[in-house]
Amino acid sequence: MRNTCSLCGGKLKDGICTECGMDNRKSDAVYKSALNQSDCANMKFSHVHEDGKAQAYEKPRMNQTRKPEKEKSEDSATEKARDKGAASYSASQHQSTGAYTPRTFTQGQKQGKKSIGLILIIGIIVVGVIFLLVNGISNMDSPETTDEIWDDDFFAEDEENLQNEDDQFAGANGSLDEDGEVWEEELMAGMYVVGIDIPEGEYTLTGKEGSSYGVFDKEHSISDNRRFGEEDVYQVENVELFQGALVCVDGLYPVNFSTKNAQTQDMGTREANPLTESYEFSGTAVAGEDFPEGTYDVYAVGDDFGVFQFGVDLIRVDYTVPFSFSTLMEKNPTDEYPDYCSVYKNVVFPKGAVLETEELQIKLEPSPEVTTTDYLSFYDNTY
């Protein structure tokens, strides 16, 4: 018999190890067999343990959503409700995880659909034919025929109306005398009246980029605004200027006016301005309240640049028309911004005109001469 333990090498007493307590009296084969016994001896290689006992391995089912294990303490009714809600959401928001099979129709179903479509088409045609027949019968019963409706008097009346419109338009536009004098002048930013500052005639206007002009003539149905430099246009020909029209020039550079049929014999003259006092302000001011109504040259005097504008209600026979005007101003404009001007001449402010400059500081200096002292009537020929 061995004197040492076969497991730990300790001393034996009556075959029992004094160190580890192993009974060395049993043979190695028997002891190893006992040691190697396990509850898993007869189980498959892949299995799980629960409460110290092995459970048989179960192969997972394919195409089934994996769900986390519920706590045993949860209420069973709550678990069922949650499972039901999850199933409902899955059914409404997602497709099945299985392969999609497109819906197909049998030959009988296809034939049935074709029959229904054919019936609908035939029904629509029948309804249309009935409608046309009924409408035709109604027209036959009508006391007026097509010839009676579109008679010669109708066309004659229509032709007469068109002729009257043409005559009215031609009379409104008027015509310029082809004979006249040669006249040419460069006009800075300001307001000018044809027949006083500019003789009536057909003009060629030339300007640099940034400069612009506007012609307002209600009597002759003219409202023309052009800015030089747009689409490389620096000269505009055949600009008709009739007596009484208002011409506005804007921008840093003057606009050249030239004509060969100037009606200088019909020119009027300005009169001395009754105003002598200047006014300086920024923000809002009202003519007749903050300063006297009249004709002024407007100067930009502050460091800021901006928009000078004013508006006034023009009185017509039985209604009023809002008139507004604006221009870009700066004390020292440069070639970089040629749309700005430092002074705008001959601006007429009737009583009640509201001026707006925001941060722009301006000075109103009475113009040397005026076209009229009836300041509101100055804009009668505008729209």
Side-chain angles (χ1 to χ4, degrees):
M1 176 178 281
R2 302 177 61 175
N3 294 321
T4 59
C5 178
S6 60
L7 179 62
C8 66
K11 294 183 180 181
L12 303 178
K13 183 179 180 180
D14 297 329
I16 305 299
C17 178
T18 58
E19 298 292 336
C20 67
M22 178 178 175
D23 188 353
N24 285 261
R25 292 172 298 179
K26 298 180 179 179
S27 65
D28 288 345
V30 174
Y31 195 79
K32 289 178 180 180
S33 176
L35 285 176
N36 291 332
Q37 283 293 331
S38 170
D39 293 336
C40 303
N42 298 322
M43 304 298 292
K44 292 183 179 180
F45 179 75
S46 298
H47 61 274
V48 294
H49 291 264
E50 186 177 277
D51 296 334
K53 296 182 180 180
Q55 292 181 342
Y57 172 77
E58 181 180 358
K59 184 178 179 181
R61 290 174 288 179
M62 300 302 292
N63 294 332
Q64 181 170 325
T65 304
R66 298 174 64 185
K67 297 181 182 178
E69 248 188 89
K70 303 289 188 301
E71 294 184 6
K72 292 183 180 181
S73 60
E74 278 190 332
D75 182 74
S76 59
T78 304
E79 287 187 33
K80 291 180 181 180
R82 287 180 180 175
D83 291 343
K84 182 177 180 181
S88 174
Y89 173 83
S90 177
S92 61
Q93 301 293 333
H94 300 280
Q95 291 183 347
S96 171
T97 55
Y100 171 73
T101 303
R103 182 179 179 183
T104 59
F105 293 96
T106 64
Q107 188 64 29
Q109 289 174 320
K110 290 181 180 180
Q111 189 65 34
K113 287 182 173 291
K114 290 182 179 179
S115 300
I116 294 173
L118 184 60
I119 292 173
L120 289 175
I121 293 173
I122 294 174
I124 293 172
I125 293 173
V126 170
V127 171
V129 171
I130 293 173
F131 175 79
L132 292 175
L133 290 174
V134 172
N135 192 42
I137 294 171
S138 299
N139 289 337
M140 291 177 64
D141 294 337
S142 176
E144 292 184 341
T145 64
T146 304
D147 293 336
E148 291 174 339
I149 295 174
W150 305 104
D151 57 10
D152 294 337
D153 292 338
F154 176 85
F155 289 106
E157 182 180 354
D158 186 57
E159 186 176 353
E160 183 180 353
N161 291 335
L162 292 175
Q163 185 63 42
N164 290 337
E165 290 180 4
D166 291 339
D167 293 341
Q168 183 180 3
F169 184 73
N173 283 337
S175 59
L176 294 170
D177 195 333
E178 295 181 359
D179 298 325
E181 298 182 14
V182 174
W183 188 90
E184 184 174 359
E185 190 76 31
E186 284 191 339
L187 300 178
M188 299 295 294
M191 292 184 176
Y192 305 92
V193 178
V194 177
I196 296 179
D197 304 305
I198 307 170
E200 185 179 80
E202 184 176 306
Y203 284 80
T204 296
L205 273 57
T206 307
K208 294 184 178 180
E209 183 172 1
S211 295
S212 60
Y213 74 89
V215 179
F216 307 94
D217 186 352
K218 181 182 68 174
E219 182 180 351
H220 297 90
S221 303
I222 297 174
S223 180
D224 183 19
N225 289 275
R226 301 289 181 90
R227 183 180 184 276
F228 294 104
E230 290 184 348
E231 300 180 356
D232 293 329
V233 175
Y234 298 93
Q235 188 175 83
V236 181
E237 298 179 344
N238 305 319
V239 179
E240 296 183 329
L241 300 181
F242 291 90
Q243 191 94 357
L246 174 64
V247 177
C248 297
V249 177
D250 288 88
L252 172 62
Y253 303 108
V255 174
N256 181 275
F257 289 72
S258 64
T259 181
K260 295 180 180 180
N261 65 333
Q263 306 301 305
T264 55
Q265 72 281 1
D266 298 328
M267 293 278 287
T269 58
R270 286 178 175 262
E271 58 187 68
N273 194 338
L275 302 177
T276 57
E277 189 174 352
S278 299
Y279 300 87
E280 188 172 324
F281 68 92
S282 64
T284 304
V286 180
E289 298 178 10
D290 301 303
F291 63 93
E293 63 173 341
T295 303
Y296 295 85
D297 293 343
V298 183
Y299 291 83
V301 295
D303 295 331
D304 292 319
F305 59 89
V307 178
F308 159 69
Q309 59 185 349
F310 79 92
V312 64
D313 288 334
L314 305 180
I315 300 175
R316 299 298 186 236
V317 177
D318 53 355
Y319 60 94
T320 59
V321 177
F323 174 84
S324 62
F325 169 85
S326 64
T327 188
L328 298 171
M329 300 197 72
E330 184 179 6
K331 183 179 181 180
N332 297 304
T334 63
D335 293 341
E336 188 177 2
Y337 301 103
D339 297 86
Y340 288 77
C341 63
S342 59
V343 56
Y344 205 92
K345 294 180 175 294
N346 307 321
V347 184
V348 177
F349 299 111
K351 183 178 181 180
V354 179
L355 283 66
E356 296 282 352
T357 68
E358 295 185 353
E359 301 299 325
L360 176 66
Q361 188 79 13
I362 65 169
K363 179 182 179 181
L364 301 182
E365 188 171 301
S367 303
E369 297 177 320
V370 300
T371 58
T372 180
T373 54
D374 185 5
Y375 303 114
L376 190 60
S377 67
F378 179 81
Y379 298 103
D380 279 350
N381 200 27
T382 61
Y383 285 90

